[in-house]
Amino acid sequence: MELIITKDYKEMSQQAAVLVNAHVIVNPKLVLGLATGNTPIGMYKELIRMNKKGMIDFTNVVTFNLDEYLGLGPKDKESYHYFMFQNLFSGINIKRRNINLLNGLTKDPNGECERYEEAIRKADGIDLQILGIGHNGHIGFNEPSDVFPTATHVVALSEDTRQINSKFFKDKRKMPTGALSVGIGTIMKAKEIILLANTKQKAEAITMAIEGPVRPQVPASVLQLHSKATMILTSQAAEGLGRIFKKSKKFSLLAHKTV
Ligand code: GLP
């Protein structure tokens, strides 16, 4: 696994956007897996800026979002559908037909998961998957569990996640209890993965994911088994990585390590 340690959120976001740009230059038909949450917003802003300056072209890029709340639709401000149009899609020259999102309003959640999995298969899988990480180590909405879920599936959100994510809901009672999420198996089939983390609150999850054993109780730890996974972390998110960075307590400059 590659680790890129950045001095702050801005540098993390720029570094991630530059890597996405490089992928699109190499493969203009890139199949890009996308994440929501606060973490990737800076990267999305940077991609919008680059797109407006003609540095990156999304004309033929295809996207698949990782997850969606059950019961929320495109008009709900808290839905990931709404989030993606607000924070990225409406600012770049991507074609609507190339955007893939899970339908949180589906009457048949299992059927929706199968439809999505099939769409990913038809697109020949994800080329580059962007991930954030939950405080409990979740990726997408793959919550800590006794097994690694493989394909896109229906999720019962953990109390932890519901409490933390309710910060995005004006009316906390609207916070859903379930979601749809691309599975760990599908994420791991991506040709390349980039995980972003920037806050101190993520430091424990990051340490467990990188230095701990691979186990489904820390879903992100599975990335240790991926042959092309990169974590772009701020020094705050990386502060628990004692074993790896024992000698360099201060890594305010960009550091790059293979672990
Ligand atoms: C949600 C999403 C995850 C995301 C996580 C972290 O739970 N399902 O994909 O990584 O939030 O969010 P944030 O970046 O706001 O900390």
Side-chain angles (χ1 to χ4, degrees):
M1 187 191 296
E2 299 292 312
L3 289 185
I4 297 175
I5 313 294
T6 61
K7 68 171 188 283
D8 56 20
Y9 181 70
K10 193 172 172 207
E11 202 175 72
M12 178 201 80
S13 304
Q14 282 169 346
Q15 186 70 30
V18 161
L19 284 179
V20 173
N21 191 18
H23 275 267
V24 177
I25 288 170
V26 172
N27 175 11
K29 293 181 178 173
L30 190 78
V31 180
L32 183 58
L34 294 173
T36 48
N38 280 325
T39 312
I41 290 177
M43 179 191 77
Y44 291 153
K45 281 205 172 100
E46 184 59 11
L47 288 173
I48 291 172
R49 189 190 70 77
M50 289 170 141
N51 186 233
K52 297 224 180 304
K53 290 207 151 185
M55 295 156 73
I56 181 166
D57 180 12
F58 287 94
T59 308
N60 294 312
V61 171
V62 174
T63 64
F64 282 90
N65 259 82
L66 269 177
D67 45 15
E68 181 58 282
Y69 288 115
L70 269 175
L72 299 191
K75 291 190 183 134
D76 293 298
K77 292 203 163 73
E78 300 88 354
S79 74
Y80 287 163
H81 186 122
Y82 187 91
F83 173 99
M84 287 310 299
F85 277 86
Q86 281 292 109
N87 290 292
L88 181 66
F89 298 146
S90 51
I92 58 174
N93 68 335
I94 191 163
K95 292 191 179 122
R96 179 63 186 90
R97 66 164 185 275
N98 288 344
I99 296 172
N100 292 278
L101 293 151
L102 282 152
N103 175 12
L105 294 179
T106 179
K107 297 242 156 34
D108 173 15
N110 289 319
E112 174 62 5
C113 292
E114 280 167 30
R115 177 197 71 80
Y116 206 66
E117 203 55 42
E118 182 56 26
I120 296 175
R121 237 189 326 267
K122 274 199 184 135
D124 280 336
I126 309 285
D127 292 315
L128 174 65
Q129 176 67 57
I130 305 294
L131 296 174
I133 185 169
H135 291 60
N136 60 6
H138 75 216
I139 47 179
F141 266 137
N142 292 282
E143 295 280 40
S145 141
D146 293 335
V147 288
F148 287 113
T150 50
T152 305
H153 60 293
V154 180
V155 178
L157 295 172
S158 71
E159 266 319 301
D160 261 13
T161 298
R162 293 190 68 232
Q163 207 192 327
I164 289 164
N165 287 17
S166 66
K167 65 177 181 246
F168 295 108
F169 289 73
K170 256 198 199 144
D171 178 357
K172 310 278 177 240
R173 289 168 306 180
K174 256 186 96 182
M175 176 70 215
T177 52
L180 302 175
S181 179
V182 169
I184 295 281
T186 313
I187 291 173
M188 289 297 281
K189 277 191 214 141
K191 295 183 189 81
E192 192 158 340
I193 299 178
I194 295 176
L195 183 145
L196 307 177
N198 68 297
T199 63
K200 212 183 166 114
Q201 287 73 32
K202 302 285 176 72
E204 197 183 331
I206 288 294
T207 308
M208 288 196 299
I210 297 174
E211 296 186 350
V214 174
R215 56 193 180 109
Q217 289 79 8
V218 183
S221 64
V222 75
L223 298 177
Q224 292 177 32
L225 304 180
H226 198 279
S227 58
K228 249 181 162 310
T230 302
M231 288 201 186
I232 310 181
L233 311 171
T234 61
S235 51
Q236 280 197 324
E239 72 177 19
L241 297 175
R243 186 163 61 79
I244 295 162
F245 290 102
K246 212 181 267 164
K247 286 190 187 126
S248 56
K249 271 262 164 355
K250 272 200 274 167
F251 30 86
S252 54
L253 289 174
L254 198 85
H256 190 187
K257 301 244 170 193
T258 305
V259 293

